[in-house]
Amino acid sequence: MMFDPGKFTKKRMSIGDALGFYYRLVIVPLIISLILGALVGVAASALLSHFVGILGFLGGLGTAAIAIGVVAMLLLVVIPIGMFISAAVLHFFGKYVFRQFKSDYQATFAAVVYGEAPLVLFFWITIIPVIGLLYIVIDIWGFIVEVFALSNLQRTSKLSVVGVMIGTIVVIFVIAIILGIIGVLA
């Protein structure tokens, strides 16, 4: 999928299959992220213990525990919920507003899962200072994979998919500005 998204993202998946794919995919990055989070926390606690003694050490360990919990919550709960919401919004605009999508919500959800795969596989990079900036490149690649997947699964052109994505962002941005103005004037 990483090297040939056009070929790999043609497989249709039900929502259950797509979630199964996601959770199988997330196992190794989750373990790596948890280990790195713990190591960073232990390193922070060792550093802090030099300055404020045992309280600094315990504070660093507490930070590690919080980081591990946040990473697990993100990968196992927040990202999957976000995928459902993203797919719903994208499908609504692609199918009913811009009339470019020809398949059902399952196809859009599967495409969003495919697009999320590179981001999840390399999530652990975000924990490493400075190197985490490489995640921007991975984020761009995830966007490209999602474009290919939506094009394949919704039976439309890549240009139409990009148009739907940009159009969706513009419409949501305009609605947010209008609601913000109404909120300020009220």
Side-chain angles (χ1 to χ4, degrees):
M1 176 180 61
M2 298 299 281
F3 299 111
D4 193 1
K7 180 180 175 185
F8 183 79
T9 60
K10 289 182 179 179
K11 182 182 179 215
R12 292 187 56 83
M13 294 189 281
S14 69
I15 291 174
D17 291 339
L19 282 172
F21 172 78
Y22 173 82
Y23 282 111
R24 283 189 306 277
L25 186 72
V26 82
I27 292 169
V28 172
L30 176 63
I31 292 168
I32 293 170
S33 297
L34 295 177
I35 291 168
L36 284 174
L39 290 174
V40 168
V42 168
S45 68
L47 180 66
L48 288 173
S49 69
H50 290 300
F51 298 110
V52 288
I54 190 69
L55 290 178
F57 181 75
L58 294 175
L61 290 180
T63 302
I66 290 170
I68 288 170
V70 167
V71 165
M73 187 66 106
L74 271 171
L75 289 173
L76 299 175
V77 178
V78 175
I79 290 174
I81 290 171
M83 290 187 307
F84 276 107
I85 294 168
S86 293
V89 170
L90 197 55
H91 188 73
F92 173 77
F93 280 94
K95 182 113 177 162
Y96 302 108
V97 176
F98 299 115
R99 299 187 183 273
Q100 296 299 311
F101 291 179
K102 295 163 183 66
S103 292
D104 57 8
Y105 173 78
Q106 280 187 162
T108 305
F109 183 77
V112 168
V113 171
Y114 281 133
E116 200 67 34
L119 301 157
V120 169
L121 279 173
F122 294 101
F123 181 83
W124 53 271
I125 289 176
T126 61
I127 297 169
I128 305 169
V130 181
I131 296 174
L133 294 174
L134 289 174
Y135 201 67
I136 294 168
V137 174
I138 296 165
D139 197 23
I140 293 167
W141 188 248
F143 172 78
I144 292 168
V145 169
E146 188 170 335
V147 168
F148 274 88
L150 280 167
S151 175
N152 287 335
L153 297 174
Q154 287 294 346
R155 299 183 320 267
T156 190
S157 72
K158 290 165 197 63
L159 189 58
S160 294
V161 169
V162 171
V164 166
M165 291 174 141
I166 291 171
T168 301
I169 291 167
V170 168
V171 170
I172 290 173
F173 183 72
V174 168
I175 291 170
I177 288 175
I178 290 170
L179 291 175
I181 290 170
I182 291 171
V184 167
L185 295 176

